[in-house]
Amino acid sequence: MTGLCDGLVEAALEAAEVILDIYETDFDVEIKGDESPVTRADQAAEAIILKHLAALAPGIPVVAEESVAAGHIPDIDGEFFLVDPLDGTKEFIKRNGEFTVNIALIRDNVPVMGVIHTPAKGFLFAGEVGKGAWRAEVADPRKSHELTNCRPISVRTPGEEVCVVGSRSHHTPEAEAYLKAYCLGEKKAIGSSLKFCLLAAGEADLYPRYGRTMEWDTAAGDAILSAAGGTVLTTDGARLTYGKRLQDDAPFANPFFIAKTT
Protein backbone atom coordinates (compact mmCIF):
# COMPACT_ATOMS: atom_id res chain seq x y z
CA MET A 1 0.00 0.00 0.00
CA THR A 2 1.13 3.54 -0.65
CA GLY A 3 2.09 6.13 1.91
CA LEU A 4 -1.22 7.92 1.32
CA CYS A 5 -3.17 4.77 2.11
CA ASP A 6 -1.10 4.30 5.26
CA GLY A 7 -2.04 7.86 6.22
CA LEU A 8 -5.74 7.10 5.74
CA VAL A 9 -5.36 4.06 7.98
CA GLU A 10 -3.75 6.17 10.69
CA ALA A 11 -6.51 8.78 10.42
CA ALA A 12 -9.17 6.10 10.84
CA LEU A 13 -7.40 4.59 13.84
CA GLU A 14 -7.05 7.92 15.60
CA ALA A 15 -10.71 8.73 14.93
CA ALA A 16 -11.60 5.37 16.46
CA GLU A 17 -10.06 6.40 19.77
CA VAL A 18 -12.46 9.29 20.31
CA ILE A 19 -15.39 7.24 18.99
CA LEU A 20 -14.74 4.53 21.57
CA ASP A 21 -14.35 7.07 24.37
CA ILE A 22 -17.79 8.51 23.59
CA TYR A 23 -19.29 5.05 22.94
CA GLU A 24 -18.71 4.20 26.59
CA THR A 25 -20.57 7.26 27.87
CA ASP A 26 -24.24 8.20 28.11
CA PHE A 27 -24.05 10.25 24.91
CA ASP A 28 -26.83 12.42 23.49
CA VAL A 29 -28.43 11.85 20.07
CA GLU A 30 -29.58 14.70 17.82
CA ILE A 31 -31.65 14.50 14.64
CA LYS A 32 -30.37 16.31 11.55
CA GLY A 33 -32.47 18.02 8.90
CA ASP A 34 -32.60 14.82 6.81
CA GLU A 35 -33.97 12.98 9.88
CA SER A 36 -30.79 10.95 10.35
CA PRO A 37 -29.22 10.72 13.82
CA VAL A 38 -25.93 12.33 14.78
CA THR A 39 -23.84 12.16 17.95
CA ARG A 40 -20.83 13.92 19.37
CA ALA A 41 -18.76 10.95 18.16
CA ASP A 42 -19.61 11.73 14.50
CA GLN A 43 -18.45 15.31 14.92
CA ALA A 44 -15.31 14.62 16.95
CA ALA A 45 -14.16 11.83 14.63
CA GLU A 46 -14.67 14.00 11.55
CA ALA A 47 -12.56 16.79 13.04
CA ILE A 48 -9.69 14.36 13.57
CA ILE A 49 -9.92 12.94 10.06
CA LEU A 50 -10.05 16.39 8.47
CA LYS A 51 -6.92 17.38 10.36
CA HIS A 52 -5.09 14.28 9.09
CA LEU A 53 -6.19 14.78 5.49
CA ALA A 54 -5.15 18.44 5.54
CA ALA A 55 -1.64 17.35 6.53
CA LEU A 56 -1.50 14.36 4.17
CA ALA A 57 -2.83 15.97 1.02
CA PRO A 58 -3.53 19.67 1.49
CA GLY A 59 -4.37 20.17 -2.17
CA ILE A 60 -7.17 17.58 -2.27
CA PRO A 61 -10.64 18.79 -1.19
CA VAL A 62 -12.65 16.78 1.32
CA VAL A 63 -16.37 16.05 1.21
CA ALA A 64 -17.31 14.95 4.74
CA GLU A 65 -20.78 14.07 6.00
CA GLU A 66 -21.09 16.42 8.95
CA SER A 67 -19.43 19.31 7.11
CA VAL A 68 -21.90 18.92 4.24
CA ALA A 69 -24.77 18.82 6.75
CA ALA A 70 -23.49 22.17 8.07
CA GLY A 71 -23.47 23.61 4.55
CA HIS A 72 -19.74 23.35 3.86
CA ILE A 73 -19.37 21.85 0.38
CA PRO A 74 -15.99 22.34 -1.31
CA ASP A 75 -15.36 22.73 -5.01
CA ILE A 76 -14.41 19.35 -6.42
CA ASP A 77 -12.78 18.63 -9.74
CA GLY A 78 -11.10 15.36 -10.63
CA GLU A 79 -9.88 14.23 -7.21
CA PHE A 80 -11.35 14.50 -3.72
CA PHE A 81 -11.79 12.60 -0.47
CA LEU A 82 -15.11 11.29 0.79
CA VAL A 83 -15.42 10.83 4.56
CA ASP A 84 -18.05 9.25 6.75
CA PRO A 85 -16.58 9.60 10.25
CA LEU A 86 -19.15 7.25 11.79
CA ASP A 87 -21.07 5.11 9.33
CA GLY A 88 -23.87 3.22 11.01
CA THR A 89 -24.79 5.80 13.63
CA LYS A 90 -27.96 3.78 14.29
CA GLU A 91 -25.79 0.77 15.12
CA PHE A 92 -23.62 3.00 17.32
CA ILE A 93 -26.74 4.10 19.21
CA LYS A 94 -27.87 0.46 19.53
CA ARG A 95 -24.37 -0.38 20.81
CA ASN A 96 -24.08 -3.50 18.64
CA GLY A 97 -20.55 -2.66 17.42
CA GLU A 98 -21.43 -2.63 13.71
CA PHE A 99 -20.34 0.92 12.95
CA THR A 100 -17.35 2.03 10.92
CA VAL A 101 -15.00 4.85 10.00
CA ASN A 102 -14.98 5.31 6.22
CA ILE A 103 -12.38 7.26 4.22
CA ALA A 104 -12.08 7.11 0.43
CA LEU A 105 -10.19 8.83 -2.37
CA ILE A 106 -12.19 9.56 -5.52
CA ARG A 107 -10.48 10.11 -8.85
CA ASP A 108 -12.36 10.87 -12.06
CA ASN A 109 -15.67 10.08 -10.34
CA VAL A 110 -14.78 6.59 -9.10
CA PRO A 111 -13.24 5.41 -5.80
CA VAL A 112 -9.61 4.35 -6.16
CA MET A 113 -8.61 3.98 -2.50
CA GLY A 114 -10.57 3.18 0.63
CA VAL A 115 -10.18 2.40 4.32
CA ILE A 116 -12.87 1.02 6.64
CA HIS A 117 -12.27 0.48 10.34
CA THR A 118 -14.66 -0.97 12.94
CA PRO A 119 -13.60 0.62 16.25
CA ALA A 120 -15.63 -1.69 18.49
CA LYS A 121 -14.71 -4.92 16.71
CA GLY A 122 -11.11 -4.13 15.76
CA PHE A 123 -11.34 -4.99 12.05
CA LEU A 124 -9.62 -2.90 9.41
CA PHE A 125 -10.08 -3.21 5.65
CA ALA A 126 -8.26 -1.27 2.94
CA GLY A 127 -7.87 -1.34 -0.79
CA GLU A 128 -6.27 0.42 -3.75
CA VAL A 129 -7.73 -0.28 -7.15
CA GLY A 130 -5.11 -1.99 -9.29
CA LYS A 131 -3.03 -2.96 -6.25
CA GLY A 132 -5.36 -5.17 -4.24
CA ALA A 133 -7.22 -5.24 -0.95
CA TRP A 134 -6.33 -6.47 2.52
CA ARG A 135 -7.65 -6.81 6.03
CA ALA A 136 -6.10 -6.76 9.48
CA GLU A 137 -6.98 -6.62 13.15
CA VAL A 138 -6.37 -3.94 15.76
CA ALA A 139 -6.21 -5.43 19.25
CA ASP A 140 -6.79 -2.20 21.18
CA PRO A 141 -6.78 1.05 19.15
CA ARG A 142 -6.59 3.18 22.28
CA LYS A 143 -3.32 1.55 23.36
CA SER A 144 -1.64 0.82 20.04
CA HIS A 145 -2.29 1.30 16.35
CA GLU A 146 -0.30 -1.85 15.56
CA LEU A 147 -1.99 -4.01 12.93
CA THR A 148 -1.89 -7.78 13.27
CA ASN A 149 -2.78 -10.69 10.99
CA CYS A 150 -2.55 -8.56 7.86
CA ARG A 151 -3.56 -10.55 4.81
CA PRO A 152 -4.78 -9.98 1.26
CA ILE A 153 -8.45 -10.49 0.44
CA SER A 154 -10.34 -11.07 -2.81
CA VAL A 155 -13.83 -11.85 -3.94
CA ARG A 156 -14.93 -15.41 -4.53
CA THR A 157 -16.76 -16.99 -7.46
CA PRO A 158 -20.36 -17.60 -6.38
CA GLY A 159 -21.59 -21.19 -6.30
CA GLU A 160 -25.01 -22.40 -7.34
CA GLU A 161 -26.48 -20.74 -4.27
CA VAL A 162 -25.75 -17.05 -3.74
CA CYS A 163 -25.01 -15.63 -0.30
CA VAL A 164 -26.74 -12.27 0.06
CA VAL A 165 -25.82 -9.56 2.53
CA GLY A 166 -28.19 -6.80 3.57
CA SER A 167 -28.81 -4.10 6.13
CA ARG A 168 -30.01 -4.56 9.68
CA SER A 169 -31.91 -1.29 9.48
CA HIS A 170 -33.27 -1.13 5.91
CA HIS A 171 -35.42 -3.72 4.08
CA THR A 172 -37.29 -3.02 0.85
CA PRO A 173 -39.70 -4.97 -1.38
CA GLU A 174 -37.62 -3.88 -4.40
CA ALA A 175 -34.61 -5.80 -3.10
CA GLU A 176 -36.75 -8.87 -2.45
CA ALA A 177 -38.11 -8.69 -6.00
CA TYR A 178 -34.57 -8.38 -7.43
CA LEU A 179 -33.40 -11.44 -5.52
CA LYS A 180 -36.09 -13.68 -7.01
CA ALA A 181 -33.82 -14.13 -10.03
CA TYR A 182 -31.23 -15.91 -7.87
CA CYS A 183 -30.95 -19.25 -6.15
CA LEU A 184 -30.44 -17.95 -2.64
CA GLY A 185 -28.38 -19.58 0.05
CA GLU A 186 -27.37 -17.89 3.27
CA LYS A 187 -28.62 -14.39 4.05
CA LYS A 188 -26.47 -12.19 6.27
CA ALA A 189 -27.60 -8.98 7.94
CA ILE A 190 -24.97 -6.51 9.06
CA GLY A 191 -24.80 -2.77 9.62
CA SER A 192 -22.85 0.02 7.95
CA SER A 193 -20.26 -0.39 5.18
CA LEU A 194 -19.25 -3.82 6.50
CA LYS A 195 -21.55 -5.27 3.84
CA PHE A 196 -19.01 -4.32 1.16
CA CYS A 197 -16.23 -5.84 3.25
CA LEU A 198 -17.97 -9.22 3.42
CA LEU A 199 -18.10 -9.33 -0.37
CA ALA A 200 -14.49 -8.17 -0.71
CA ALA A 201 -13.30 -10.83 1.75
CA GLY A 202 -15.08 -13.65 -0.07
CA GLU A 203 -17.68 -14.16 2.65
CA ALA A 204 -20.74 -13.13 0.60
CA ASP A 205 -21.67 -12.69 -3.06
CA LEU A 206 -24.32 -10.04 -3.51
CA TYR A 207 -25.52 -6.82 -1.88
CA PRO A 208 -28.52 -5.17 -3.55
CA ARG A 209 -29.35 -1.76 -2.14
CA TYR A 210 -32.78 -0.41 -3.04
CA GLY A 211 -32.77 2.34 -0.46
CA ARG A 212 -31.28 5.73 0.17
CA THR A 213 -27.53 6.04 0.63
CA MET A 214 -25.08 8.89 0.32
CA GLU A 215 -21.72 8.82 -1.39
CA TRP A 216 -19.79 8.90 1.88
CA ASP A 217 -21.70 5.77 2.97
CA THR A 218 -20.46 3.73 0.02
CA ALA A 219 -17.21 5.16 -1.38
CA ALA A 220 -14.71 3.39 0.89
CA GLY A 221 -16.51 0.06 0.60
CA ASP A 222 -16.79 0.51 -3.16
CA ALA A 223 -13.03 1.10 -3.41
CA ILE A 224 -12.20 -1.95 -1.30
CA LEU A 225 -14.63 -4.21 -3.17
CA SER A 226 -13.34 -2.96 -6.53
CA ALA A 227 -9.73 -3.54 -5.42
CA ALA A 228 -10.71 -7.08 -4.40
CA GLY A 229 -12.21 -7.83 -7.81
CA GLY A 230 -15.88 -6.90 -7.37
CA THR A 231 -18.14 -4.28 -8.91
CA VAL A 232 -20.72 -1.70 -7.83
CA LEU A 233 -23.30 -0.91 -10.49
CA THR A 234 -26.52 1.05 -10.66
CA THR A 235 -29.71 -0.90 -11.34
CA ASP A 236 -29.31 0.13 -15.01
CA GLY A 237 -25.95 -1.66 -15.16
CA ALA A 238 -23.76 1.46 -15.20
CA ARG A 239 -20.79 2.02 -12.93
CA LEU A 240 -21.83 3.87 -9.74
CA THR A 241 -20.16 7.27 -9.89
CA TYR A 242 -19.25 9.90 -7.31
CA GLY A 243 -19.22 13.67 -7.09
CA LYS A 244 -22.93 14.01 -7.91
CA ARG A 245 -23.25 17.50 -6.51
CA LEU A 246 -25.88 18.98 -8.83
CA GLN A 247 -29.03 16.88 -9.12
CA ASP A 248 -32.72 16.76 -8.24
CA ASP A 249 -31.98 14.88 -5.02
CA ALA A 250 -29.69 16.11 -2.25
CA PRO A 251 -26.02 16.65 -3.17
CA PHE A 252 -24.00 13.42 -3.12
CA ALA A 253 -27.05 11.13 -2.94
CA ASN A 254 -26.68 7.72 -4.60
CA PRO A 255 -29.15 5.96 -6.86
CA PHE A 256 -30.06 2.35 -6.04
CA PHE A 257 -27.16 0.00 -6.70
CA ILE A 258 -26.00 -3.61 -6.79
CA ALA A 259 -22.66 -4.58 -5.24
CA LYS A 260 -21.48 -7.98 -6.46
CA THR A 261 -18.44 -10.17 -6.79
CA THR A 262 -18.62 -10.74 -10.55
Side-chain angles (χ1 to χ4, degrees):
M1 294 294 163
T2 65
L4 179 57
C5 191
D6 289 341
L8 301 191
V9 168
E10 184 60 28
L13 291 172
E14 187 171 332
E17 294 184 39
V18 70
I19 288 172
L20 289 174
D21 287 342
I22 296 170
Y23 190 55
E24 295 174 357
T25 68
D26 186 18
F27 54 83
D28 293 328
V29 179
E30 300 177 10
I31 302 300
K32 295 189 289 189
D34 62 359
E35 299 186 355
S36 64
V38 63
T39 71
R40 188 161 53 90
D42 299 73
Q43 298 156 344
E46 182 166 301
I48 289 171
I49 295 168
L50 292 178
K51 181 179 178 181
H52 271 270
L53 296 182
L56 278 169
I60 301 178
V62 182
V63 176
E65 180 178 11
E66 305 312 325
S67 295
V68 171
H72 304 304
I73 302 177
D75 292 329
I76 53 175
D77 182 20
E79 190 173 48
F80 63 98
F81 291 110
L82 267 169
V83 173
D84 190 340
L86 181 52
D87 183 36
T89 301
K90 292 180 180 178
E91 315 306 329
F92 181 82
I93 294 167
K94 294 175 185 176
R95 299 182 189 274
N96 68 12
E98 292 178 2
F99 51 88
T100 60
V101 179
N102 299 351
I103 309 173
L105 176 64
I106 311 300
R107 186 174 296 139
D108 297 327
N109 302 113
V110 296
V112 296
M113 183 184 298
V115 170
I116 292 176
H117 176 43
T118 59
K121 294 182 176 293
F123 303 139
L124 192 140
F125 297 84
E128 287 186 65
V129 174
K131 297 185 179 181
W134 55 273
R135 67 177 296 175
E137 278 79 52
V138 187
D140 187 342
R142 283 181 290 187
K143 291 184 178 179
S144 170
H145 290 182
E146 180 183 359
L147 302 179
T148 62
N149 197 21
C150 296
R151 57 204 184 275
I153 56 174
S154 61
V155 300
R156 68 187 183 188
T157 300
E160 182 178 342
E161 293 187 339
V162 173
C163 175
V164 178
V165 64
S167 173
R168 289 199 188 281
S169 304
H170 306 278
H171 303 279
T172 63
E174 294 92 341
E176 294 300 322
Y178 171 81
L179 291 172
K180 288 181 179 179
Y182 291 87
C183 179
L184 301 182
E186 185 180 5
K187 291 185 178 181
K188 298 181 179 181
I190 193 167
S192 70
S193 57
L194 287 170
K195 293 179 281 293
F196 291 97
C197 297
L198 289 182
L199 269 66
E203 298 176 17
D205 306 304
L206 188 63
Y207 166 34
R209 183 57 183 255
Y210 287 80
R212 184 177 178 82
T213 59
M214 304 301 288
E215 293 184 10
W216 44 77
D217 297 322
T218 62
D222 187 334
I224 294 167
L225 177 57
S226 297
T231 58
V232 184
L233 307 175
T234 68
T235 54
D236 294 330
R239 207 295 176 212
L240 182 65
T241 59
Y242 294 77
K244 301 180 291 293
R245 180 172 176 177
L246 300 176
Q247 53 184 335
D248 294 335
D249 201 344
F252 307 108
N254 283 325
F256 298 159
F257 64 84
I258 311 295
K260 55 201 305 185
T261 56
T262 56

